[in-house]
Amino acid sequence: MKALVYDGVETLGYRDVPDSVAQDGEHLIKVEAVGICGSDMHAYLGHDARRPAPLILGHEAAGVIVGGPLDGKRVTVNPLVTCGICAACTSGRENLCGARQIISMPPREGAFAQFISMPEVNLVEVPEGVPMGKAALAEPLAVSWHAARLALEALHPAMERRALVIGGGAIGLAAALALKAMGVSDVVISEPNDIRRQFLNDRCGVTALTSADGLFPVVIDAVGYTATRAAASEMAMPGGVIAHVGLGEDLGGLDIRRMTLQEITFIGTYTYTMQDFRDTAQAIFDGRLGALDWTEARALKDGFAAFQDLRQGKVAAPKIVLDPWG
């Protein structure tokens, strides 16, 4: 099969690799759409020691089951494979499973390939009529759905339901859409990139500004750099909530003194639970997250160029979705 392989810092190769084979208890899936994630970019830049070269990246996938009793079923893929028996798994917090694996990280190869193998529990059926490029958004949208849910659950009921999202990439946009789907009508995205900000305002049904003013009950940092954490801790309202989902840099930025004196809740959020993934997929299918027509489609064979364009800030769309068969 063909795959896009991470070969080293800022180097990707499109070539033949051994065919994926369905493991015991798993299904072989013909990948029809796979998105480029920020974590893929971190790996491409050599910033993720958990993803050593050579490795097939990619974990935002949707496709069709090949062979077996479910042959032909259209599915979107939850890439988190968990043990199912630990305290985290049995309490519905599978994302905290100590034995969790994720495709695109050893020992599991990723979905920038024509086929992958996944357990049935990780698959959600996609209704006819829902394009695979849209179904592949379930994974990144679930990341933001999880962050938005935790932020709103932590927000004091007496506080306004207003929110600032820092960063207008796919995770930031998805956070804004998730907040709106959960009843938060007043959501602003802070996005400094001119072409992306214009795209958000023109195409995505959200309000995006170069920078926001004032204080907000909920702040979601979808970037995770020192500067964005500093902005989040400065712009969170007293008694408010910061949900941190970005993984740009490890350290710095938080004003711990202000957060302590103003009783600002900080929540680190990682991926999603299986229920969050299912809820997100259903929200996609029934249209609660909008048209989701803000992606850019490219062929997997052109994936290296797509990464280069993303690296150089040339892509207006929040998400590039690759077609392994294009």
Side-chain angles (χ1 to χ4, degrees), residues 183-256:
V184 182
S185 59
D186 188 353
V187 182
V188 173
I189 298 176
S190 174
E191 172 53 58
N193 183 293
D194 291 339
I195 61 171
R196 177 159 289 174
R197 186 175 63 256
Q198 182 174 348
F199 189 96
L200 291 170
N201 285 314
D202 293 346
R203 291 282 304 278
C204 302
V206 296
T207 300
L209 305 173
T210 304
S211 60
D213 296 319
L215 301 178
F216 295 83
V218 172
V219 179
I220 295 183
D221 182 352
V223 182
Y225 279 92
T226 299
T228 58
R229 282 190 289 271
S233 56
E234 177 184 347
M235 300 183 75
M237 185 175 287
V241 178
I242 298 170
H244 191 274
V245 64
L247 290 171
E249 293 176 336
D250 293 346
L251 302 172
L254 288 179
D255 184 344
I256 299 299

Side-chain angles (χ1 to χ4, degrees), residues 264-321:
I264 295 168
T265 300
F266 179 91
I267 305 172
T269 72
Y270 176 71
T271 62
Y272 35 76
T273 66
M274 189 62 214
Q275 189 61 53
D276 285 323
F277 189 90
R278 294 192 186 100
D279 290 344
T280 303
Q282 188 57 51
I284 291 173
F285 303 154
D286 64 26
R288 278 180 289 143
L289 292 171
L292 301 179
D293 56 357
W294 35 259
T295 62
E296 179 180 329
R298 301 196 190 186
L300 183 66
K301 64 185 178 182
D302 300 323
F304 186 19
F307 271 80
Q308 291 174 311
D309 288 347
L310 287 166
R311 174 78 165 107
Q312 296 168 21
K314 295 180 178 180
V315 181
K319 175 68 63 178
I320 291 178
V321 178

Side-chain angles (χ1 to χ4, degrees), residues 2-296:
K2 295 290 188 181
L4 185 68
V5 183
Y6 167 59
D7 286 318
V9 177
E10 299 196 42
T11 304
L12 296 168
Y14 179 72
R15 60 177 179 268
D16 288 311
V17 299
D19 290 342
S20 181
V21 177
Q23 304 301 311
D24 290 342
E26 298 189 0
H27 296 279
L28 185 66
I29 300 162
K30 178 185 177 184
V31 179
E32 295 196 352
V34 54
I36 298 177
C37 176
S39 63
D40 296 319
M41 180 58 69
H42 293 322
Y44 168 76
L45 296 175
H47 296 167
D48 190 347
R50 303 171 303 168
R51 290 178 165 93
L55 181 68
I56 301 173
L57 301 173
H59 57 270
E60 304 175 356
V64 178
I65 295 176
V66 178
L70 301 181
D71 181 63
K73 178 176 284 189
R74 308 170 77 242
V75 295
T76 187
V77 176
N78 176 349
L80 286 178
V81 180
T82 58
C83 73
I85 58 174
C86 69
C89 287
T90 56
S91 63
R93 304 180 77 191
E94 301 92 342
N95 59 318
L96 301 181
C97 172
R100 68 177 182 253
Q101 298 176 351
I102 184 169
I103 61 174
S104 78
M105 192 180 297
R108 288 184 173 267
E109 298 279 7
F112 287 158
Q114 292 179 319
F115 295 94
I116 55 171
S117 174
M118 292 298 294
E120 185 172 343
V121 71
N122 286 71
L123 307 177
V124 174
E125 185 171 3
V126 177
E128 292 294 334
V130 176
M132 283 303 187
K134 185 180 292 188
L137 295 175
E139 198 282 336
L141 290 169
V143 171
S144 299
W145 184 280
H146 179 69
R149 177 178 66 80
L150 292 182
L152 294 179
E153 287 177 354
L155 186 66
H156 192 281
M159 298 193 72
E160 298 176 88
R161 292 169 72 85
R162 293 189 298 111
L164 167 67
V165 178
I166 300 175
I171 297 300
L173 171 58
L177 296 176
L179 287 164
K180 289 190 172 188
M182 295 175 186
V184 182
S185 59
D186 188 353
V187 182
V188 173
I189 298 176
S190 174
E191 172 53 58
N193 183 293
D194 291 339
I195 61 171
R196 177 159 289 174
R197 186 175 63 256
Q198 182 174 348
F199 189 96
L200 291 170
N201 285 314
D202 293 346
R203 291 282 304 278
C204 302
V206 296
T207 300
L209 305 173
T210 304
S211 60
D213 296 319
L215 301 178
F216 295 83
V218 172
V219 179
I220 295 183
D221 182 352
V223 182
Y225 279 92
T226 299
T228 58
R229 282 190 289 271
S233 56
E234 177 184 347
M235 300 183 75
M237 185 175 287
V241 178
I242 298 170
H244 191 274
V245 64
L247 290 171
E249 293 176 336
D250 293 346
L251 302 172
L254 288 179
D255 184 344
I256 299 299
R257 179 177 177 81
R258 179 174 189 270
M259 292 171 61
T260 300
L261 295 176
Q262 302 291 344
E263 291 195 353
I264 295 168
T265 300
F266 179 91
I267 305 172
T269 72
Y270 176 71
T271 62
Y272 35 76
T273 66
M274 189 62 214
Q275 189 61 53
D276 285 323
F277 189 90
R278 294 192 186 100
D279 290 344
T280 303
Q282 188 57 51
I284 291 173
F285 303 154
D286 64 26
R288 278 180 289 143
L289 292 171
L292 301 179
D293 56 357
W294 35 259
T295 62
E296 179 180 329

